[in-house]
Amino acid sequence: MVGLFFVLLIKKNIIMDEKFLTKQEIIDGLSRDCISCGRMLKLISPEKRRKYAKYVLVGQGLSARVYYMILYKLWDVHLFLFLLSCGEEYVDAYLRQCADKSVRHFFGNEYTRLSLFKTIVFKRGEEKYIWRFKELGLFDGNDECLLFELCKNVNAGDNPFLMKYIRENRLYPQTTALLTKPGFEEYLDCYIEDNNLSSKEKRKLYFWKFLNKFLCFE
């Protein structure tokens, strides 16, 4: 009974101590090592986790730290921008967690915020990470459509990455359907000219391009 009393007392004091932790103690705990980081995250409140989340990515044990960010749903726009500023090693650690089957199954986009990260990468034209999405099986037809939608009505000559992408990839059916709509004319012409399409495929795309002039109203 005495032993149980002291265990409960210790647990109570640990919970109470969270209120008196200084900013520096929290930062030190999060950035010291991945075990200390996990303990600190478990100890502090959700509000403080969000406030000091940047420091979760600082220190050794990068894979574990990225996992903590997913586990506690800490990813947001600012933290993704910070992740990108940290370099390829950090981004790759995050993408590998997103590609992990168990992470996909138990957490999904609500925790990883992968769709948000993709939007940021697409808007910034981070070519190397778009290829990495493909390598890890994190890219599908919906992503490809979003990639083009973000460049609607943008002069194709001002987007060398997309022009290169069109020339080097067979586009998804939903993407080619999107390119037949107003605002994507230059991209469609490039796709038709630079890919080995059959005459039937070309006629079909030009037909839908003509038809969509009347069907698509903005």
Side-chain angles (χ1 to χ4, degrees):
M1 287 296 293
V2 175
L4 179 60
F5 170 81
F6 278 110
V7 169
L8 293 173
L9 181 61
I10 290 170
K11 287 186 176 181
K12 181 179 179 182
N13 286 336
I14 290 174
I15 295 171
M16 290 178 64
D17 282 347
E18 187 271 340
K19 297 179 181 179
F20 304 103
L21 287 171
T22 65
K23 174 182 177 179
Q24 193 57 50
E25 286 173 332
I26 294 174
I27 292 173
D28 289 344
L30 293 175
S31 57
R32 187 177 302 120
D33 57 66
C34 59
I35 295 175
S36 298
C37 179
R39 287 172 178 167
M40 183 59 71
L41 283 170
K42 191 173 182 180
L43 180 63
I44 60 179
S45 65
E47 292 75 18
K48 288 185 178 178
R49 287 173 194 153
R50 289 189 291 271
K51 183 177 180 179
Y52 297 103
K54 178 179 178 179
Y55 298 97
V56 176
L57 291 172
V58 178
Q60 296 179 339
L62 182 56
S63 180
R65 290 174 179 279
V66 169
Y67 180 81
Y68 291 148
M69 295 287 289
I70 295 172
L71 177 65
Y72 289 104
K73 298 174 71 173
L74 297 176
W75 291 114
D76 61 20
V77 172
H78 299 294
L79 289 167
F80 278 137
L81 292 176
F82 177 69
L83 181 76
L84 286 166
S85 73
C86 290
E88 293 183 42
E89 180 185 2
Y90 284 75
V91 175
D92 197 60
Y94 165 72
L95 292 180
R96 285 184 178 279
Q97 287 289 357
C98 292
D100 186 274
K101 290 182 179 180
S102 61
V103 172
R104 287 190 190 187
H105 177 73
F106 290 108
F107 298 106
N109 186 67
E110 182 183 358
Y111 285 76
T112 64
R113 304 296 303 278
L114 180 59
S115 60
L116 173 61
F117 183 67
K118 287 178 179 178
T119 301
I120 294 171
V121 168
F122 293 165
K123 284 183 177 179
R124 288 164 57 103
E126 296 277 3
E127 180 178 350
K128 58 190 173 186
Y129 297 131
I130 295 173
W131 299 132
R132 192 67 177 130
F133 291 151
K134 283 177 166 284
E135 290 171 4
L136 293 172
L138 298 173
F139 191 92
D140 58 23
N142 293 327
D143 296 316
E144 192 175 75
C145 279
L146 175 61
L147 181 60
F148 281 89
E149 284 173 352
L150 292 170
C151 296
K152 184 177 182 180
N153 294 317
V154 175
N155 189 322
D158 296 329
N159 199 327
F161 163 68
L162 267 191
M163 299 300 284
K164 177 183 177 183
Y165 183 92
I166 289 171
R167 294 187 182 101
E168 296 181 356
N169 292 273
R170 186 77 173 187
L171 302 183
Y172 286 90
Q174 56 262 55
T175 306
T176 55
L178 174 69
L179 297 187
T180 62
K181 296 179 180 179
F184 302 98
E185 292 85 357
E186 292 184 39
Y187 298 109
L188 179 65
D189 291 342
C190 176
Y191 182 64
I192 291 174
E193 291 171 8
D194 294 347
N195 287 272
N196 187 27
L197 304 181
S198 67
S199 298
K200 182 179 179 180
E201 288 176 305
K202 292 179 181 179
R203 286 196 301 269
K204 182 180 178 181
L205 291 173
Y206 279 129
F207 170 75
W208 277 107
K209 177 183 177 181
F210 172 78
L211 196 60
N212 279 329
K213 289 182 179 180
F214 304 98
L215 295 178
C216 298
F217 298 95
E218 297 185 3

